[in-house]
Amino acid sequence: MTIADRRERDRQMRRDSIVEAAEKLFFSKGFAATTMDEIAEAAELSKGTIYLYYKNKEEIYVAIVHRGMQILIDLFRKAIASASTGMGKVKALGQAMFTFYERHPRHFTAVFYHHESPSVGPLDVDINDPVVKELVRDGDELYAFSADAIQGGIGDGTIRPGVDPIKTTYVLSSMILGLIRTVAVEEQFLRQKFNLTVKDLLQEAFDLIEHSLTAHR
Amino acid sequence: MTIADRRERDRQMRRDSIVEAAEKLFFSKGFAATTMDEIAEAAELSKGTIYLYYKNKEEIYVAIVHRGMQILIDLFRKAIASASTGMGKVKALGQAMFTFYERHPRHFTAVFYHHESPSVGPLDVDINDPVVKELVRDGDELYAFSADAIQGGIGDGTIRPGVDPIKTTYVLSSMILGLIRTVAVEEQFLRQKFNLTVKDLLQEAFDLIEHSLTAHR
DNA sequence: TCATTAATTGACTGCGAGTCATTAATTATG
DNA sequence: CATAATTAATGACTCGCAGTCAATTAATGA
């Protein structure tokens, strides 16, 4: 028992040290430009060994997406805990998304672009891979955080009763995400050409959103 | 004169027929899975010849992005012409974006994901390539359509005076784009799990946006 | 101690992007 | 019209890398 257990623990540590090594390389020189030999060398393993732990290069990438997802979920948990009203939680979640981008830009990219990267045409991922399954569950969890916050906001009166929590979750998250993506691509351009900062844009968007969720008149 | 002219025309036709062939292949089996030999065969040329017209595989991809951009610009022109008020034009532009996604989903993806695809880490394009330069100009033109429409709306009273045309253009376009991207990825999931259609979500978003741009009370 | 099983290795294969010396087609020149 | 000069096209080749597998080494059990 203990023996098989330790094996399993060792195996997990190896997997971790491989992603660790790969992550540094992918993030500094890109997925395509990183070779399996480089990953092997950085992980102090031979190339063959890497393949005992991951089916191929893409599967390592998926593991990195998964790590990013954990970071984001953690930020979301803290966001939810940081506010007491429904509306407050919704705003904190939006803020958390932006924090994720600011503090972990490469993970942000990995998480939100993996449907198209790395090799144009969706990453063809093995739906039976447990990591992939967990990724899907994690995605659901993310949406649930928001839907619950909206629902709570309707209960505590900080969000107007008419809004549909699910629909609104999708609309809001997509919008915030879209905004951050644009900013990610055009940040310096916006600053130079229009003297617009990221905060300006986000403030504008948050105002618009808050405005649309509260009752007026 | 006529002689060099014809050479130039021929050259352009060749380039076109190469993208044409590549586009079909990329769109059906993906960028990574398509080989230069296949492109050559489909274009009825030898591989070496392809390289006389395009520096490499990515440059062909950029040409496809460019084509997509032309389609979108065209849709935007028609959208602007289709409405008379500023607010009407803004809505028509949002609608045009969605039409682009619906009618040309692969071009949509090419245009809006090329910053990350094809090989994780931005496509490293040659900034001196005339096609790339035009792409940048085209991007500016797209934003100008929207900024002008908002400006016009303020003039004709269909949009409230407080809004900043540039800022709003960025916020709105990013939001709409984000929404369509989400829908692109999760369309069948949304329908199955929540019985939500794309139109529902877009309607919700459009309402929200319209609401935020008009004067109330 | 030695047999069995598990983990690791790196030389090897196959494939595909990009090159380049050679050949073919066009155009200019006498 | 002949042939020189220029331009276009070819495909066999190189080179690098993802992924494999027979051979080796380490760990565990009898």
Side-chain angles (χ1 to χ4, degrees), chain A residues 117-118 120 143 170 174 181-182 186 189-190 194 204 208 211 216, chain B residues 117-118 120 143 166-167 170 174 181-182 186 189-190 194 208 211 216:
Chain A
S117 313
V120 173
Y143 282 123
Y170 276 95
S174 303
R181 276 167 156 163
T182 294
E186 317 223 10
F189 169 80
L190 284 171
F194 297 114
E204 180 102 356
L208 187 152
H211 189 254
H216 315 123
Chain B
S117 310
V120 171
Y143 283 122
I166 306 270
K167 242 196 248 185
Y170 277 94
S174 304
R181 276 167 156 163
T182 294
E186 320 221 9
F189 169 79
L190 285 170
F194 297 113
L208 188 153
H211 189 255
H216 316 120

PDB file of all heavy atoms in Angstrom, chain A residues 117-118 120 143 170 174 181-182 186 189-190 194 204 208 211 216, chain B residues 117-118 120 143 166-167 170 174 181-182 186 189-190 194 208 211 216:
ATOM      1  N   SER A 117      -5.310  28.027 -29.912  1.00  0.00           N
ATOM      2  CA  SER A 117      -3.902  27.690 -29.934  1.00  0.00           C
ATOM      3  C   SER A 117      -3.768  26.229 -29.547  1.00  0.00           C
ATOM      4  O   SER A 117      -4.720  25.640 -29.093  1.00  0.00           O
ATOM      5  CB  SER A 117      -3.152  28.535 -28.915  1.00  0.00           C
ATOM      6  OG  SER A 117      -3.531  29.864 -29.042  1.00  0.00           O
ATOM      7  N   PRO A 118      -2.620  25.633 -29.632  1.00  0.00           N
ATOM      8  CA  PRO A 118      -1.416  26.167 -30.222  1.00  0.00           C
ATOM      9  C   PRO A 118      -1.327  26.044 -31.729  1.00  0.00           C
ATOM     10  O   PRO A 118      -0.485  26.661 -32.338  1.00  0.00           O
ATOM     11  CB  PRO A 118      -0.310  25.292 -29.607  1.00  0.00           C
ATOM     12  CG  PRO A 118      -0.930  24.506 -28.556  1.00  0.00           C
ATOM     13  CD  PRO A 118      -2.372  24.412 -28.883  1.00  0.00           C
ATOM     14  N   VAL A 120      -3.496  26.328 -34.833  1.00  0.00           N
ATOM     15  CA  VAL A 120      -4.778  26.720 -35.419  1.00  0.00           C
ATOM     16  C   VAL A 120      -5.697  25.562 -35.752  1.00  0.00           C
ATOM     17  O   VAL A 120      -5.331  24.601 -36.375  1.00  0.00           O
ATOM     18  CB  VAL A 120      -4.598  27.580 -36.660  1.00  0.00           C
ATOM     19  CG1 VAL A 120      -5.935  27.820 -37.347  1.00  0.00           C
ATOM     20  CG2 VAL A 120      -4.025  28.898 -36.234  1.00  0.00           C
ATOM     21  N   TYR A 143     -18.327  29.874 -13.827  1.00  0.00           N
ATOM     22  CA  TYR A 143     -19.609  30.482 -14.159  1.00  0.00           C
ATOM     23  C   TYR A 143     -20.547  30.458 -12.955  1.00  0.00           C
ATOM     24  O   TYR A 143     -21.292  31.396 -12.724  1.00  0.00           O
ATOM     25  CB  TYR A 143     -20.247  29.758 -15.346  1.00  0.00           C
ATOM     26  CG  TYR A 143     -19.643  30.163 -16.664  1.00  0.00           C
ATOM     27  CD1 TYR A 143     -19.083  29.221 -17.521  1.00  0.00           C
ATOM     28  CD2 TYR A 143     -19.652  31.502 -17.069  1.00  0.00           C
ATOM     29  CE1 TYR A 143     -18.524  29.593 -18.745  1.00  0.00           C
ATOM     30  CE2 TYR A 143     -19.095  31.885 -18.282  1.00  0.00           C
ATOM     31  CZ  TYR A 143     -18.531  30.924 -19.120  1.00  0.00           C
ATOM     32  OH  TYR A 143     -17.994  31.304 -20.307  1.00  0.00           O
ATOM     33  N   TYR A 170     -23.098  34.990 -18.584  1.00  0.00           N
ATOM     34  CA  TYR A 170     -22.430  34.810 -19.860  1.00  0.00           C
ATOM     35  C   TYR A 170     -22.134  36.127 -20.537  1.00  0.00           C
ATOM     36  O   TYR A 170     -21.043  36.357 -21.048  1.00  0.00           O
ATOM     37  CB  TYR A 170     -23.247  33.895 -20.780  1.00  0.00           C
ATOM     38  CG  TYR A 170     -22.957  32.452 -20.486  1.00  0.00           C
ATOM     39  CD1 TYR A 170     -23.761  31.722 -19.617  1.00  0.00           C
ATOM     40  CD2 TYR A 170     -21.839  31.818 -21.037  1.00  0.00           C
ATOM     41  CE1 TYR A 170     -23.469  30.402 -19.313  1.00  0.00           C
ATOM     42  CE2 TYR A 170     -21.546  30.501 -20.730  1.00  0.00           C
ATOM     43  CZ  TYR A 170     -22.358  29.794 -19.872  1.00  0.00           C
ATOM     44  OH  TYR A 170     -22.062  28.504 -19.558  1.00  0.00           O
ATOM     45  N   SER A 174     -18.270  37.432 -20.826  1.00  0.00           N
ATOM     46  CA  SER A 174     -17.760  37.549 -22.189  1.00  0.00           C
ATOM     47  C   SER A 174     -17.295  38.959 -22.473  1.00  0.00           C
ATOM     48  O   SER A 174     -16.274  39.192 -23.123  1.00  0.00           O
ATOM     49  CB  SER A 174     -18.849  37.203 -23.199  1.00  0.00           C
ATOM     50  OG  SER A 174     -19.342  35.911 -22.954  1.00  0.00           O
ATOM     51  N   ARG A 181      -8.952  41.190 -23.398  1.00  0.00           N
ATOM     52  CA  ARG A 181      -8.226  40.704 -24.570  1.00  0.00           C
ATOM     53  C   ARG A 181      -7.821  41.854 -25.471  1.00  0.00           C
ATOM     54  O   ARG A 181      -6.702  41.908 -25.971  1.00  0.00           O
ATOM     55  CB  ARG A 181      -9.099  39.743 -25.364  1.00  0.00           C
ATOM     56  CG  ARG A 181      -9.060  38.339 -24.847  1.00  0.00           C
ATOM     57  CD  ARG A 181     -10.187  37.566 -25.479  1.00  0.00           C
ATOM     58  NE  ARG A 181      -9.921  36.139 -25.498  1.00  0.00           N
ATOM     59  CZ  ARG A 181     -10.852  35.214 -25.698  1.00  0.00           C
ATOM     60  NH1 ARG A 181     -12.100  35.572 -25.903  1.00  0.00           N
ATOM     61  NH2 ARG A 181     -10.540  33.947 -25.697  1.00  0.00           N
ATOM     62  N   THR A 182      -8.727  42.759 -25.718  1.00  0.00           N
ATOM     63  CA  THR A 182      -8.415  43.909 -26.558  1.00  0.00           C
ATOM     64  C   THR A 182      -7.273  44.700 -25.942  1.00  0.00           C
ATOM     65  O   THR A 182      -6.295  45.038 -26.602  1.00  0.00           O
ATOM     66  CB  THR A 182      -9.635  44.832 -26.700  1.00  0.00           C
ATOM     67  OG1 THR A 182     -10.642  44.138 -27.407  1.00  0.00           O
ATOM     68  CG2 THR A 182      -9.274  46.113 -27.445  1.00  0.00           C
ATOM     69  N   GLU A 186      -3.740  45.685 -27.538  1.00  0.00           N
ATOM     70  CA  GLU A 186      -3.550  47.054 -27.994  1.00  0.00           C
ATOM     71  C   GLU A 186      -3.097  48.035 -26.918  1.00  0.00           C
ATOM     72  O   GLU A 186      -3.136  49.244 -27.139  1.00  0.00           O
ATOM     73  CB  GLU A 186      -4.861  47.579 -28.611  1.00  0.00           C
ATOM     74  CG  GLU A 186      -5.541  46.566 -29.494  1.00  0.00           C
ATOM     75  CD  GLU A 186      -6.055  47.180 -30.783  1.00  0.00           C
ATOM     76  OE1 GLU A 186      -5.732  48.341 -31.080  1.00  0.00           O
ATOM     77  OE2 GLU A 186      -6.796  46.478 -31.488  1.00  0.00           O
ATOM     78  N   PHE A 189      -0.587  50.763 -27.913  1.00  0.00           N
ATOM     79  CA  PHE A 189      -1.192  51.532 -28.989  1.00  0.00           C
ATOM     80  C   PHE A 189      -2.238  52.505 -28.450  1.00  0.00           C
ATOM     81  O   PHE A 189      -2.247  53.703 -28.798  1.00  0.00           O
ATOM     82  CB  PHE A 189      -1.835  50.573 -29.994  1.00  0.00           C
ATOM     83  CG  PHE A 189      -2.709  51.234 -31.018  1.00  0.00           C
ATOM     84  CD1 PHE A 189      -2.161  51.850 -32.138  1.00  0.00           C
ATOM     85  CD2 PHE A 189      -4.090  51.232 -30.866  1.00  0.00           C
ATOM     86  CE1 PHE A 189      -2.980  52.448 -33.073  1.00  0.00           C
ATOM     87  CE2 PHE A 189      -4.910  51.837 -31.805  1.00  0.00           C
ATOM     88  CZ  PHE A 189      -4.349  52.442 -32.908  1.00  0.00           C
ATOM     89  N   LEU A 190      -3.092  52.044 -27.573  1.00  0.00           N
ATOM     90  CA  LEU A 190      -4.135  52.888 -26.994  1.00  0.00           C
ATOM     91  C   LEU A 190      -3.535  54.062 -26.225  1.00  0.00           C
ATOM     92  O   LEU A 190      -4.007  55.193 -26.328  1.00  0.00           O
ATOM     93  CB  LEU A 190      -5.005  52.068 -26.029  1.00  0.00           C
ATOM     94  CG  LEU A 190      -6.008  51.128 -26.669  1.00  0.00           C
ATOM     95  CD1 LEU A 190      -6.646  50.224 -25.618  1.00  0.00           C
ATOM     96  CD2 LEU A 190      -7.087  51.930 -27.391  1.00  0.00           C
ATOM     97  N   PHE A 194      -4.208  57.448 -28.241  1.00  0.00           N
ATOM     98  CA  PHE A 194      -5.370  58.134 -27.686  1.00  0.00           C
ATOM     99  C   PHE A 194      -5.205  58.538 -26.238  1.00  0.00           C
ATOM    100  O   PHE A 194      -6.125  59.038 -25.622  1.00  0.00           O
ATOM    101  CB  PHE A 194      -6.613  57.251 -27.822  1.00  0.00           C
ATOM    102  CG  PHE A 194      -6.981  56.968 -29.240  1.00  0.00           C
ATOM    103  CD1 PHE A 194      -6.895  55.684 -29.752  1.00  0.00           C
ATOM    104  CD2 PHE A 194      -7.404  57.997 -30.079  1.00  0.00           C
ATOM    105  CE1 PHE A 194      -7.239  55.420 -31.066  1.00  0.00           C
ATOM    106  CE2 PHE A 194      -7.746  57.736 -31.393  1.00  0.00           C
ATOM    107  CZ  PHE A 194      -7.659  56.447 -31.894  1.00  0.00           C
ATOM    108  N   GLU A 204     -14.809  52.567 -17.460  1.00  0.00           N
ATOM    109  CA  GLU A 204     -15.945  52.846 -18.342  1.00  0.00           C
ATOM    110  C   GLU A 204     -16.857  51.620 -18.437  1.00  0.00           C
ATOM    111  O   GLU A 204     -18.077  51.718 -18.292  1.00  0.00           O
ATOM    112  CB  GLU A 204     -15.404  53.210 -19.738  1.00  0.00           C
ATOM    113  CG  GLU A 204     -16.450  53.522 -20.771  1.00  0.00           C
ATOM    114  CD  GLU A 204     -16.609  55.025 -21.004  1.00  0.00           C
ATOM    115  OE1 GLU A 204     -15.941  55.812 -20.296  1.00  0.00           O
ATOM    116  OE2 GLU A 204     -17.406  55.402 -21.881  1.00  0.00           O
ATOM    117  N   LEU A 208     -20.683  51.013 -16.952  1.00  0.00           N
ATOM    118  CA  LEU A 208     -21.763  50.630 -17.842  1.00  0.00           C
ATOM    119  C   LEU A 208     -22.477  49.401 -17.307  1.00  0.00           C
ATOM    120  O   LEU A 208     -23.709  49.326 -17.274  1.00  0.00           O
ATOM    121  CB  LEU A 208     -21.141  50.345 -19.214  1.00  0.00           C
ATOM    122  CG  LEU A 208     -22.034  50.075 -20.402  1.00  0.00           C
ATOM    123  CD1 LEU A 208     -21.275  50.526 -21.662  1.00  0.00           C
ATOM    124  CD2 LEU A 208     -22.382  48.615 -20.526  1.00  0.00           C
ATOM    125  N   HIS A 211     -24.379  50.053 -14.031  1.00  0.00           N
ATOM    126  CA  HIS A 211     -25.560  50.817 -14.400  1.00  0.00           C
ATOM    127  C   HIS A 211     -26.668  49.916 -14.914  1.00  0.00           C
ATOM    128  O   HIS A 211     -27.845  50.089 -14.592  1.00  0.00           O
ATOM    129  CB  HIS A 211     -25.148  51.827 -15.482  1.00  0.00           C
ATOM    130  CG  HIS A 211     -26.209  52.816 -15.787  1.00  0.00           C
ATOM    131  ND1 HIS A 211     -26.946  52.768 -16.939  1.00  0.00           N
ATOM    132  CD2 HIS A 211     -26.652  53.878 -15.090  1.00  0.00           C
ATOM    133  CE1 HIS A 211     -27.805  53.763 -16.946  1.00  0.00           C
ATOM    134  NE2 HIS A 211     -27.657  54.459 -15.835  1.00  0.00           N
ATOM    135  N   HIS A 216     -32.993  51.704 -11.695  1.00  0.00           N
ATOM    136  CA  HIS A 216     -32.929  53.175 -11.734  1.00  0.00           C
ATOM    137  C   HIS A 216     -34.273  53.776 -11.402  1.00  0.00           C
ATOM    138  O   HIS A 216     -35.229  53.081 -11.187  1.00  0.00           O
ATOM    139  CB  HIS A 216     -32.579  53.697 -13.123  1.00  0.00           C
ATOM    140  CG  HIS A 216     -31.488  52.982 -13.767  1.00  0.00           C
ATOM    141  ND1 HIS A 216     -31.613  52.365 -14.984  1.00  0.00           N
ATOM    142  CD2 HIS A 216     -30.228  52.777 -13.358  1.00  0.00           C
ATOM    143  CE1 HIS A 216     -30.474  51.825 -15.297  1.00  0.00           C
ATOM    144  NE2 HIS A 216     -29.622  52.052 -14.329  1.00  0.00           N
TER     145      HIS A 216
ATOM    146  N   SER B 117      -2.532  32.803 -32.528  1.00  0.00           N
ATOM    147  CA  SER B 117      -2.277  31.669 -33.387  1.00  0.00           C
ATOM    148  C   SER B 117      -1.250  32.093 -34.417  1.00  0.00           C
ATOM    149  O   SER B 117      -0.973  33.270 -34.524  1.00  0.00           O
ATOM    150  CB  SER B 117      -3.558  31.270 -34.111  1.00  0.00           C
ATOM    151  OG  SER B 117      -4.592  31.159 -33.188  1.00  0.00           O
ATOM    152  N   PRO B 118      -0.716  31.248 -35.222  1.00  0.00           N
ATOM    153  CA  PRO B 118      -0.865  29.813 -35.189  1.00  0.00           C
ATOM    154  C   PRO B 118       0.041  29.105 -34.200  1.00  0.00           C
ATOM    155  O   PRO B 118      -0.196  27.960 -33.903  1.00  0.00           O
ATOM    156  CB  PRO B 118      -0.485  29.367 -36.598  1.00  0.00           C
ATOM    157  CG  PRO B 118      -0.355  30.590 -37.405  1.00  0.00           C
ATOM    158  CD  PRO B 118      -0.093  31.690 -36.444  1.00  0.00           C
ATOM    159  N   VAL B 120       1.404  29.505 -30.711  1.00  0.00           N
ATOM    160  CA  VAL B 120       1.423  30.213 -29.439  1.00  0.00           C
ATOM    161  C   VAL B 120       2.614  31.150 -29.249  1.00  0.00           C
ATOM    162  O   VAL B 120       3.750  30.796 -29.431  1.00  0.00           O
ATOM    163  CB  VAL B 120       1.338  29.240 -28.266  1.00  0.00           C
ATOM    164  CG1 VAL B 120       1.579  29.954 -26.968  1.00  0.00           C
ATOM    165  CG2 VAL B 120      -0.017  28.608 -28.242  1.00  0.00           C
ATOM    166  N   TYR B 143     -12.190  50.810 -36.570  1.00  0.00           N
ATOM    167  CA  TYR B 143     -12.502  51.610 -35.390  1.00  0.00           C
ATOM    168  C   TYR B 143     -13.081  52.971 -35.787  1.00  0.00           C
ATOM    169  O   TYR B 143     -13.978  53.485 -35.130  1.00  0.00           O
ATOM    170  CB  TYR B 143     -11.252  51.801 -34.523  1.00  0.00           C
ATOM    171  CG  TYR B 143     -10.913  50.586 -33.705  1.00  0.00           C
ATOM    172  CD1 TYR B 143      -9.673  49.962 -33.815  1.00  0.00           C
ATOM    173  CD2 TYR B 143     -11.836  50.058 -32.802  1.00  0.00           C
ATOM    174  CE1 TYR B 143      -9.363  48.828 -33.051  1.00  0.00           C
ATOM    175  CE2 TYR B 143     -11.540  48.933 -32.042  1.00  0.00           C
ATOM    176  CZ  TYR B 143     -10.310  48.318 -32.169  1.00  0.00           C
ATOM    177  OH  TYR B 143     -10.015  47.205 -31.421  1.00  0.00           O
ATOM    178  N   ILE B 166     -14.225  57.622 -28.907  1.00  0.00           N
ATOM    179  CA  ILE B 166     -13.106  56.668 -29.001  1.00  0.00           C
ATOM    180  C   ILE B 166     -13.190  55.602 -27.907  1.00  0.00           C
ATOM    181  O   ILE B 166     -13.184  54.411 -28.173  1.00  0.00           O
ATOM    182  CB  ILE B 166     -11.756  57.399 -28.846  1.00  0.00           C
ATOM    183  CG1 ILE B 166     -11.630  58.549 -29.852  1.00  0.00           C
ATOM    184  CG2 ILE B 166     -10.608  56.415 -28.944  1.00  0.00           C
ATOM    185  CD1 ILE B 166     -11.022  58.171 -31.146  1.00  0.00           C
ATOM    186  N   LYS B 167     -13.281  56.081 -26.691  1.00  0.00           N
ATOM    187  CA  LYS B 167     -13.350  55.146 -25.562  1.00  0.00           C
ATOM    188  C   LYS B 167     -14.504  54.175 -25.752  1.00  0.00           C
ATOM    189  O   LYS B 167     -14.357  52.964 -25.588  1.00  0.00           O
ATOM    190  CB  LYS B 167     -13.598  55.950 -24.271  1.00  0.00           C
ATOM    191  CG  LYS B 167     -12.507  55.841 -23.229  1.00  0.00           C
ATOM    192  CD  LYS B 167     -13.022  56.319 -21.888  1.00  0.00           C
ATOM    193  CE  LYS B 167     -12.362  57.603 -21.447  1.00  0.00           C
ATOM    194  NZ  LYS B 167     -12.768  58.015 -20.083  1.00  0.00           N
ATOM    195  N   TYR B 170     -13.932  51.455 -28.319  1.00  0.00           N
ATOM    196  CA  TYR B 170     -13.126  50.344 -27.819  1.00  0.00           C
ATOM    197  C   TYR B 170     -13.898  49.449 -26.872  1.00  0.00           C
ATOM    198  O   TYR B 170     -13.865  48.228 -26.969  1.00  0.00           O
ATOM    199  CB  TYR B 170     -11.844  50.846 -27.158  1.00  0.00           C
ATOM    200  CG  TYR B 170     -10.782  51.105 -28.178  1.00  0.00           C
ATOM    201  CD1 TYR B 170     -10.595  52.368 -28.732  1.00  0.00           C
ATOM    202  CD2 TYR B 170      -9.989  50.061 -28.648  1.00  0.00           C
ATOM    203  CE1 TYR B 170      -9.646  52.589 -29.713  1.00  0.00           C
ATOM    204  CE2 TYR B 170      -9.040  50.267 -29.632  1.00  0.00           C
ATOM    205  CZ  TYR B 170      -8.862  51.530 -30.156  1.00  0.00           C
ATOM    206  OH  TYR B 170      -7.940  51.738 -31.129  1.00  0.00           O
ATOM    207  N   SER B 174     -14.952  45.691 -28.087  1.00  0.00           N
ATOM    208  CA  SER B 174     -14.359  44.597 -27.318  1.00  0.00           C
ATOM    209  C   SER B 174     -15.424  43.717 -26.712  1.00  0.00           C
ATOM    210  O   SER B 174     -15.307  42.491 -26.686  1.00  0.00           O
ATOM    211  CB  SER B 174     -13.497  45.136 -26.186  1.00  0.00           C
ATOM    212  OG  SER B 174     -12.521  46.005 -26.678  1.00  0.00           O
ATOM    213  N   ARG B 181     -17.041  35.614 -29.387  1.00  0.00           N
ATOM    214  CA  ARG B 181     -16.038  34.575 -29.163  1.00  0.00           C
ATOM    215  C   ARG B 181     -16.545  33.521 -28.196  1.00  0.00           C
ATOM    216  O   ARG B 181     -16.366  32.326 -28.405  1.00  0.00           O
ATOM    217  CB  ARG B 181     -14.772  35.192 -28.570  1.00  0.00           C
ATOM    218  CG  ARG B 181     -13.852  35.778 -29.618  1.00  0.00           C
ATOM    219  CD  ARG B 181     -12.828  36.628 -28.915  1.00  0.00           C
ATOM    220  NE  ARG B 181     -11.612  36.771 -29.685  1.00  0.00           N
ATOM    221  CZ  ARG B 181     -10.701  37.713 -29.462  1.00  0.00           C
ATOM    222  NH1 ARG B 181     -10.892  38.594 -28.503  1.00  0.00           N
ATOM    223  NH2 ARG B 181      -9.611  37.777 -30.186  1.00  0.00           N
ATOM    224  N   THR B 182     -17.181  33.953 -27.127  1.00  0.00           N
ATOM    225  CA  THR B 182     -17.718  32.999 -26.162  1.00  0.00           C
ATOM    226  C   THR B 182     -18.741  32.106 -26.842  1.00  0.00           C
ATOM    227  O   THR B 182     -18.706  30.883 -26.713  1.00  0.00           O
ATOM    228  CB  THR B 182     -18.396  33.744 -24.996  1.00  0.00           C
ATOM    229  OG1 THR B 182     -17.401  34.451 -24.278  1.00  0.00           O
ATOM    230  CG2 THR B 182     -19.091  32.766 -24.061  1.00  0.00           C
ATOM    231  N   GLU B 186     -18.823  28.136 -27.087  1.00  0.00           N
ATOM    232  CA  GLU B 186     -19.765  27.410 -26.246  1.00  0.00           C
ATOM    233  C   GLU B 186     -21.170  27.273 -26.803  1.00  0.00           C
ATOM    234  O   GLU B 186     -22.084  26.896 -26.067  1.00  0.00           O
ATOM    235  CB  GLU B 186     -19.843  28.080 -24.856  1.00  0.00           C
ATOM    236  CG  GLU B 186     -18.502  28.529 -24.352  1.00  0.00           C
ATOM    237  CD  GLU B 186     -18.329  28.247 -22.852  1.00  0.00           C
ATOM    238  OE1 GLU B 186     -19.189  27.561 -22.276  1.00  0.00           O
ATOM    239  OE2 GLU B 186     -17.327  28.713 -22.292  1.00  0.00           O
ATOM    240  N   PHE B 189     -23.024  23.964 -26.153  1.00  0.00           N
ATOM    241  CA  PHE B 189     -23.111  23.804 -24.701  1.00  0.00           C
ATOM    242  C   PHE B 189     -24.216  24.686 -24.101  1.00  0.00           C
ATOM    243  O   PHE B 189     -25.048  24.227 -23.307  1.00  0.00           O
ATOM    244  CB  PHE B 189     -21.760  24.144 -24.075  1.00  0.00           C
ATOM    245  CG  PHE B 189     -21.773  24.262 -22.585  1.00  0.00           C
ATOM    246  CD1 PHE B 189     -21.748  23.131 -21.780  1.00  0.00           C
ATOM    247  CD2 PHE B 189     -21.810  25.512 -21.975  1.00  0.00           C
ATOM    248  CE1 PHE B 189     -21.758  23.232 -20.406  1.00  0.00           C
ATOM    249  CE2 PHE B 189     -21.823  25.621 -20.595  1.00  0.00           C
ATOM    250  CZ  PHE B 189     -21.795  24.478 -19.810  1.00  0.00           C
ATOM    251  N   LEU B 190     -24.234  25.941 -24.499  1.00  0.00           N
ATOM    252  CA  LEU B 190     -25.241  26.877 -23.997  1.00  0.00           C
ATOM    253  C   LEU B 190     -26.651  26.404 -24.343  1.00  0.00           C
ATOM    254  O   LEU B 190     -27.556  26.471 -23.515  1.00  0.00           O
ATOM    255  CB  LEU B 190     -25.023  28.268 -24.600  1.00  0.00           C
ATOM    256  CG  LEU B 190     -23.869  29.059 -24.033  1.00  0.00           C
ATOM    257  CD1 LEU B 190     -23.610  30.306 -24.864  1.00  0.00           C
ATOM    258  CD2 LEU B 190     -24.169  29.444 -22.585  1.00  0.00           C
ATOM    259  N   PHE B 194     -28.465  25.188 -20.994  1.00  0.00           N
ATOM    260  CA  PHE B 194     -29.320  26.254 -20.472  1.00  0.00           C
ATOM    261  C   PHE B 194     -30.419  26.675 -21.430  1.00  0.00           C
ATOM    262  O   PHE B 194     -31.139  27.621 -21.188  1.00  0.00           O
ATOM    263  CB  PHE B 194     -28.476  27.480 -20.119  1.00  0.00           C
ATOM    264  CG  PHE B 194     -27.485  27.215 -19.035  1.00  0.00           C
ATOM    265  CD1 PHE B 194     -26.121  27.243 -19.304  1.00  0.00           C
ATOM    266  CD2 PHE B 194     -27.905  26.917 -17.746  1.00  0.00           C
ATOM    267  CE1 PHE B 194     -25.196  26.977 -18.295  1.00  0.00           C
ATOM    268  CE2 PHE B 194     -26.994  26.647 -16.740  1.00  0.00           C
ATOM    269  CZ  PHE B 194     -25.635  26.681 -17.017  1.00  0.00           C
ATOM    270  N   LEU B 208     -28.515  46.051 -23.446  1.00  0.00           N
ATOM    271  CA  LEU B 208     -27.685  46.655 -22.419  1.00  0.00           C
ATOM    272  C   LEU B 208     -26.900  47.836 -23.004  1.00  0.00           C
ATOM    273  O   LEU B 208     -26.824  48.913 -22.421  1.00  0.00           O
ATOM    274  CB  LEU B 208     -26.745  45.585 -21.879  1.00  0.00           C
ATOM    275  CG  LEU B 208     -25.891  45.880 -20.667  1.00  0.00           C
ATOM    276  CD1 LEU B 208     -25.596  44.548 -19.945  1.00  0.00           C
ATOM    277  CD2 LEU B 208     -24.574  46.516 -21.055  1.00  0.00           C
ATOM    278  N   HIS B 211     -29.136  50.754 -24.084  1.00  0.00           N
ATOM    279  CA  HIS B 211     -29.574  51.402 -22.859  1.00  0.00           C
ATOM    280  C   HIS B 211     -28.514  52.356 -22.319  1.00  0.00           C
ATOM    281  O   HIS B 211     -28.802  53.462 -21.854  1.00  0.00           O
ATOM    282  CB  HIS B 211     -29.881  50.315 -21.820  1.00  0.00           C
ATOM    283  CG  HIS B 211     -30.537  50.814 -20.577  1.00  0.00           C
ATOM    284  ND1 HIS B 211     -29.867  50.944 -19.394  1.00  0.00           N
ATOM    285  CD2 HIS B 211     -31.801  51.229 -20.359  1.00  0.00           C
ATOM    286  CE1 HIS B 211     -30.697  51.405 -18.481  1.00  0.00           C
ATOM    287  NE2 HIS B 211     -31.878  51.585 -19.034  1.00  0.00           N
ATOM    288  N   HIS B 216     -31.578  58.758 -20.549  1.00  0.00           N
ATOM    289  CA  HIS B 216     -32.812  58.287 -19.895  1.00  0.00           C
ATOM    290  C   HIS B 216     -33.486  59.410 -19.143  1.00  0.00           C
ATOM    291  O   HIS B 216     -33.007  60.518 -19.124  1.00  0.00           O
ATOM    292  CB  HIS B 216     -32.532  57.210 -18.843  1.00  0.00           C
ATOM    293  CG  HIS B 216     -31.583  56.195 -19.259  1.00  0.00           C
ATOM    294  ND1 HIS B 216     -30.416  55.960 -18.611  1.00  0.00           N
ATOM    295  CD2 HIS B 216     -31.627  55.366 -20.300  1.00  0.00           C
ATOM    296  CE1 HIS B 216     -29.779  55.005 -19.218  1.00  0.00           C
ATOM    297  NE2 HIS B 216     -30.497  54.628 -20.247  1.00  0.00           N
TER     298      HIS B 216
END
